[in-house]
């Protein structure tokens, strides 16, 4: 039986001899490469924390002691040690292991942490609760150096430092978040990584001086007085010690014995301690070690022997944005870009290579990114802030009060909007339309394909009197969905911009993107529906879905007009005019029902006095468990077949006037506790 098969609990790990722990670390690395390459997931971060995680579980008593990982994507080894290695074949798949800690999976998982820079605040709160309740245990937060670029970490440190509560902060310093960590903090930590060489030199000098007969100790005492000043200049330990937190390190993050010694000392200190562990992301897998961009931070399905993707890789929304930004960069010198530690995942790396002085990576600091963008805009530039949709939540106040209130021309680009799937509840971008819908003056576009992404991004950066935003989903960009015609204010043809609406299909005339042969072509001329029964408004990538649903409805004799609003905030006037000419309006979106696009349409029609029923097909306001995007959309009834069925029921009167989407989706672990 292998060591990996023998270790099912932290107690099993504690029973191993030191040389066995090193062997186990090698087995775990092989296991991670094999399993994660087959399922996809966060490979590089977990290869880097193997020894660190083993040392943590040998020193502390999980689950009695609380281990909190920031972010949780470095928790795979923790899952293995706590008895979940047999479930890795289902990693990030429906019904399988979460890619982050999960309370429903194990009592060892205290915090389902997948947004960076929060663990220290959790640790502070847990330690305060322990003090008030008289509970004796250790609270340990494992924080990456990338996460330390986030402001919440320093807010928490300020509180932790002012107490004597026994919080152990392990800084997992690999010099990276997704990409290499940037900024002043990174530079200081880089210096600290070199500190052992300085300490060795001091120790050698100490021994040499003290060997001098008679005067040796006196000379050493004299020069030792200067040590603190020299040490602070060379190794800026003041970064932490000036806060009043004991600092231990740097420690080799791949030396289990050294880690155990440092962690045990921190555990027994009885007050806040920082243990600085230097690790190497992607360690032990050559393909990850040689990946200079991200060291295989997050991967899809790979060949473990070559480290290359399995099968052809479809073109994704992000790559279309990359090309569009390069075009704009060539044309306009005032266009600049901002990323929050994610230039590669958000598609800005190529822009940064072409225009290095015009890309600003602010670290994991979305709030700062947004207000900095407001300053750039006020200074005469047009900033494009690219973040994942889920991380817009962290910059809402700045979007509202710094950007929108001042009507600054900032363009916010939201990748991974709507349902993302495998990363689980915290990464679904289903909140963005609800959040942005209350921001005065913000214009929001949702491209349906690569052509409209380029078009709408160009329109956005051309707007100079206020903020704009674009949102698109995760994964492959769909094929082109051409419009039959474009209408604008007053029903006249429009060239583009907010207010222009694309008609994708209408009774008797479906788009070229419809299935072949279409229902229209299958019907005799005298049977072709000519009455515009339903206005089907499909947001973003649902344009193709709307066309296919319309084809099904046409076969049932229901006349459908399918439109893409292009700019869905504010609701275009042209949509109101189209709605007035139909008997039913149906909106389809992969955002939350409450405050989403459908709600905005219903409100706008009511304000305009247009008395037409509005039905919304959207997601319920709940945290969705991880699964593929397709599986989640199917469970939510967001397929062309489901849309056609429900529209048929509404038209025939077999459904109630107000029909909520009945969710069959599994709820995420911890639903209602976040």
């Amino acid at each position: 039986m292998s060591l990996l098969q023998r270790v099912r609990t932290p107690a099993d790990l504690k029973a191993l001899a030191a040389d066995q722990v090193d062997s186990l670390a090698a087995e775990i690395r092989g296991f991670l490469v094999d399993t994660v390459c087959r399922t996809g997931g966060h490979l590089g971060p977990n290869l880097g924390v193997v020894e660190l995680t083993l040392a943590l579980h040998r020193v502390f008593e999980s689950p009695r002691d609380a281990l909190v990982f920031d972010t949780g994507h470095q928790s795979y080894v923790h899952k293995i040690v706590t008895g979940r290695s047999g479930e890795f074949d289902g990693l990030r798949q429906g019904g399988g292991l979460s890619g982050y800690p999960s309370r429903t999976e194990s009592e060892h998982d205290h915090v389902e942490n997948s947004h960076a820079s929060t663990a220290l605040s959790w640790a502070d709160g847990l330690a305060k609760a322990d003090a008030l309740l008289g509970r004796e245990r250790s609270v340990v937060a494992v924080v990456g150096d990338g996460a330390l670029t986030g402001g919440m970490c320093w807010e928490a440190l300020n509180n932790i430092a002012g107490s004597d509560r026994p919080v152990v902060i392990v800084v997992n310093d690999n010099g990276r978040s997704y990409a290499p960590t940037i900024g002043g903090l990174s530079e200081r930590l880089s210096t600290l990584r070199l500190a052992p060489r300085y300490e060795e030199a001091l120790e050698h000098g100490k021994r040499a001086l003290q060997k001098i007969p008679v005067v040796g100790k006196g000379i050493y005492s004299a020069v030792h007085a200067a040590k603190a000043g020299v040490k602070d200049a060379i190794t800026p330990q003041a970064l932490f010690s000036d806060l009043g937190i004991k600092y231990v390190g740097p420690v080799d993050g791949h030396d289990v014995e050294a880690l155990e010694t440092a962690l045990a000392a921190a555990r027994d200190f009885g007050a806040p301690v920082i243990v600085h562990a230097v690790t190497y992301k992607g360690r032990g897998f050559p393909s990850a070690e040689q990946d200079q961009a991200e060291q295989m931070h997050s991967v899809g399905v790979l060949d473990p022997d070559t480290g290359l993707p399995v099968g052809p890789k479809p073109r994704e929304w992000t790559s279309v944005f990359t090309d569009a930004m390069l075009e704009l960069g060539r044309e306009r010198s005032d266009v600049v870009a901002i990323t929050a530690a994610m230039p590669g995942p958000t598609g800005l790396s190529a822009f940064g290579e072409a225009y290095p002085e015009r890309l600003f990576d602010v670290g994991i600091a979305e709030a700062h990114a947004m207000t900095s963008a407001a300053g750039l805009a006020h200074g005469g530039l047009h900033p494009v802030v690219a973040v994942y949709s889920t991380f817009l939540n962290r910059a809402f106040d700045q979007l509202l009060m710094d950007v929108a209130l001042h009507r600054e021309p900032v363009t916010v680009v939201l990748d991974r909007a709507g349902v993302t799937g495998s990363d689980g509840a915290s990464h679904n971008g289903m909140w963005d339309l609800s959040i942005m819908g209350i921001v005065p003056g913000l214009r929001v576009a949702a491209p349906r394909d690569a052509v409209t992404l380029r078009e709408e991004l160009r329109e956005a950066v051309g707007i100079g009197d206020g903020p704009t935003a674009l949102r698109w989903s995760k994964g492959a960009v769909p094929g082109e969905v051409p419009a039959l015609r474009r209408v604008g204010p007053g029903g006249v043809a429009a060239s583009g911009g907010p207010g222009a609406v694309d008609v994708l299909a209408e009774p008797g005339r479906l788009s070229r993107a419809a299935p072949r042969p279409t229902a229209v072509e299958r019907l005799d001329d005298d049977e072709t529906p000519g009455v515009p029964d339903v206005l089907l408004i499909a947001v973003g990538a649902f344009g193709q879905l709307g066309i296919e649903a319309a084809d099904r409805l046409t076969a049932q004799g229901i006349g459908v007009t399918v439109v893409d609003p292009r700019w869905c905030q504010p609701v275009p006037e042209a949509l109101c005019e189209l709605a007035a000419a139909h008997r039913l309006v149906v909106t389809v979106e992969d955002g939350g029902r409450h405050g989403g696009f459908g709600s905005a349409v219903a409100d706008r029609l009511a304000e305009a006095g247009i008395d037409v029923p509005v039905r919304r097909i959207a997601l319920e306001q709940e945290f969705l468990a991880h699964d593929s995007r397709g599986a989640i959309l199917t469970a939510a009834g967001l397929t062309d077949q489901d849309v056609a069925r429900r529209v048929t029921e509404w038209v025939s009167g077999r459904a109630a006037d107000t029909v909520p989407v009945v969710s069959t989706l599994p709820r995420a672990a911890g639903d209602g506790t976040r």
Side-chain angles (χ1 to χ4, degrees):
M1 180 182 291
S2 69
L3 289 169
L4 183 59
Q5 292 172 319
R6 287 169 52 186
V7 174
R8 296 299 185 198
T9 69
D12 297 331
L13 178 61
K14 292 175 186 289
L16 299 182
D19 61 331
Q20 290 179 305
V21 177
D22 291 336
S23 298
L24 175 62
E27 286 187 32
I28 288 175
R29 282 199 170 85
F31 175 83
L32 286 171
V33 170
D34 179 57
T35 56
V36 179
C37 282
R38 282 189 279 110
T39 63
H42 291 94
L43 182 57
N46 288 287
L47 291 173
V49 297
V50 176
E51 290 85 1
L52 176 57
T53 306
L54 296 180
L56 284 165
H57 277 287
R58 281 168 64 84
V59 170
F60 295 97
E61 299 287 342
S62 179
R64 182 182 67 84
D65 293 333
L67 302 183
V68 182
F69 292 88
D70 189 341
T71 61
H73 61 228
Q74 59 181 326
S75 65
Y76 291 8
V77 185
H78 165 76
K79 289 175 183 272
I80 292 170
V81 172
T82 54
R84 286 169 272 178
S85 60
E87 302 172 59
F88 266 74
D89 285 344
L91 180 67
R92 294 168 23 112
Q93 299 172 31
L97 282 182
S98 168
Y100 300 96
S102 172
R103 289 176 178 175
T104 61
E105 286 180 11
S106 174
E107 62 179 344
H108 296 276
D109 294 0
H110 292 268
V111 179
E112 301 170 21
N113 199 9
S114 54
H115 281 197
S117 308
T118 64
L120 295 185
S121 296
W122 272 98
D124 178 56
L126 286 167
K128 287 172 178 173
D130 290 346
L132 289 171
L133 297 175
R135 182 167 47 217
E136 293 186 5
R137 65 170 177 177
S138 295
V139 177
V140 185
V142 183
V143 185
D145 59 296
L148 283 175
T149 64
M152 271 189 72
C153 276
W154 297 94
E155 294 171 19
L157 279 171
N158 184 54
N159 279 263
I160 292 170
S163 74
D164 58 359
R165 291 182 286 272
V167 176
V168 177
I169 301 166
V170 179
V171 177
N172 171 28
D173 178 12
N174 57 27
R176 310 180 73 89
S177 47
Y178 273 86
T181 308
I182 55 85
L185 171 66
S186 173
E187 293 172 5
R188 294 175 75 92
L189 285 176
S190 295
T191 306
L192 280 170
R193 292 180 204 122
L194 301 177
R197 300 176 188 175
Y198 170 71
E199 294 289 353
E200 290 167 8
L202 279 179
E203 186 61 27
H204 177 76
K206 171 184 175 180
R207 289 195 299 268
L209 286 171
Q210 289 181 331
K211 288 179 181 178
I212 300 174
V214 183
V215 297
K217 291 186 178 180
I219 295 174
Y220 172 73
S221 297
V223 299
H224 183 70
K227 176 182 176 181
V230 175
K231 189 173 183 180
D232 282 348
I234 299 177
T235 63
Q237 308 218 19
L239 180 67
F240 299 116
S241 60
D242 280 359
L243 287 172
I245 302 178
K246 182 68 175 176
Y247 171 87
V248 177
V251 182
D252 182 349
H254 301 291
D255 183 333
V256 175
E257 185 176 357
L259 285 166
E260 288 183 23
T261 299
L263 291 170
R267 177 198 60 199
D268 298 337
F269 186 65
V273 180
I274 286 178
V275 177
H276 179 194
V278 179
T279 64
Y280 296 91
K281 193 173 182 179
R283 183 181 176 93
F285 186 35
S287 297
E289 293 175 344
Q290 295 162 15
D291 177 13
Q292 295 300 312
E294 296 181 18
Q295 293 185 306
M296 291 192 170
H297 178 88
S298 180
V299 300
V301 179
L302 302 176
D303 182 334
D305 294 325
T306 65
L308 298 175
V310 175
K313 185 177 181 180
R315 192 176 194 200
E316 298 186 337
W317 288 96
T318 309
S319 66
V320 178
F321 170 65
T322 296
D323 293 343
M325 279 297 291
L326 287 172
E327 292 173 9
L328 289 169
R330 286 192 293 269
E331 296 171 14
R332 290 182 48 174
S333 61
D334 65 324
V335 171
V336 297
I338 301 177
T339 176
M342 299 174 69
T346 58
L348 288 176
S349 289
F351 185 89
E353 291 169 4
Y355 312 104
E357 74 285 356
R358 290 158 60 187
L359 173 64
F360 303 98
D361 186 344
V362 301
I364 302 177
E366 291 85 1
H368 165 62
M370 197 67 71
T371 300
S372 180
L376 283 163
H378 192 61
L381 301 172
H382 193 110
V384 176
V385 182
V387 296
Y388 282 4
S389 175
T390 184
F391 298 131
L392 175 66
N393 307 353
R394 317 186 91 182
F396 173 74
D397 180 66
Q398 291 71 26
L399 175 64
L400 181 68
M401 293 299 175
D402 293 321
V403 175
L405 175 64
H406 295 86
R407 303 183 62 85
E408 298 294 352
V410 172
T411 295
V412 181
V413 166
L414 303 177
D415 204 323
R416 272 72 164 176
V419 171
T420 56
S422 57
D423 273 325
S426 62
H427 273 54
N428 284 320
M430 57 183 285
W431 324 107
D432 56 356
L433 288 175
S434 300
I435 289 172
M436 293 188 293
I438 65 173
V439 178
L442 176 63
R443 303 174 176 96
V444 181
R448 66 179 180 271
D449 55 20
V451 173
T452 52
L453 188 157
R454 293 190 184 93
E455 182 181 59
E456 290 163 20
L457 179 62
R458 186 174 295 275
E459 292 169 3
V461 298
I463 292 172
D465 62 350
T468 54
L470 276 75
R471 71 185 299 270
W472 53 76
S473 59
K474 179 181 180 180
V477 62
E480 182 180 354
V481 182
L484 296 176
R485 57 193 175 93
R486 178 168 291 177
V487 297
V492 299
S495 59
V501 173
D502 281 347
V503 178
L504 307 182
E506 51 194 349
R509 189 179 176 215
L510 285 187
S511 164
R512 296 194 306 275
R516 296 300 184 197
T518 69
V520 170
E521 293 168 338
R522 293 195 298 268
L523 295 173
D524 294 334
D525 289 343
D526 58 353
E527 294 178 329
T528 301
V531 177
D533 294 310
V534 179
L535 178 66
L536 182 59
I537 309 173
V539 174
F542 283 157
Q544 179 65 41
L545 178 150
I547 291 169
E548 293 174 0
D551 183 60
R552 292 177 179 272
L553 292 164
T554 296
Q556 300 177 56
I558 299 173
V560 181
T561 303
V562 181
V563 297
D564 169 14
R566 300 182 70 253
W567 289 81
C568 49
Q569 180 179 320
V571 175
E573 182 64 29
L575 275 186
C576 296
E577 297 176 7
L578 287 166
H582 291 76
R583 293 188 290 184
L584 174 68
V585 173
V586 177
T587 63
V588 185
E589 60 187 305
D590 67 344
R593 286 170 53 83
H594 183 75
F597 174 72
S599 296
V601 169
D603 289 346
R604 182 70 187 89
L605 294 180
E607 290 173 1
I610 299 172
D611 189 16
V612 57
V614 178
R615 301 290 179 264
R616 297 169 290 157
I617 301 177
L619 296 171
E620 287 300 299
Q621 304 295 149
E622 60 187 28
F623 295 115
L624 309 178
H626 60 277
D627 204 340
S628 68
R629 172 177 161 84
I632 291 175
L633 293 178
T634 298
L638 285 165
T639 68
D640 63 290
Q641 184 175 4
D642 288 315
V643 169
R645 174 183 56 80
R646 300 193 60 204
V647 171
T648 301
E649 292 173 351
W650 284 322
V651 169
S652 66
R654 293 198 303 270
D657 285 343
T658 55
V659 182
V661 175
V662 178
S663 174
T664 60
L665 295 168
R667 294 185 175 222
D671 188 11
T673 65
R674 291 174 180 262

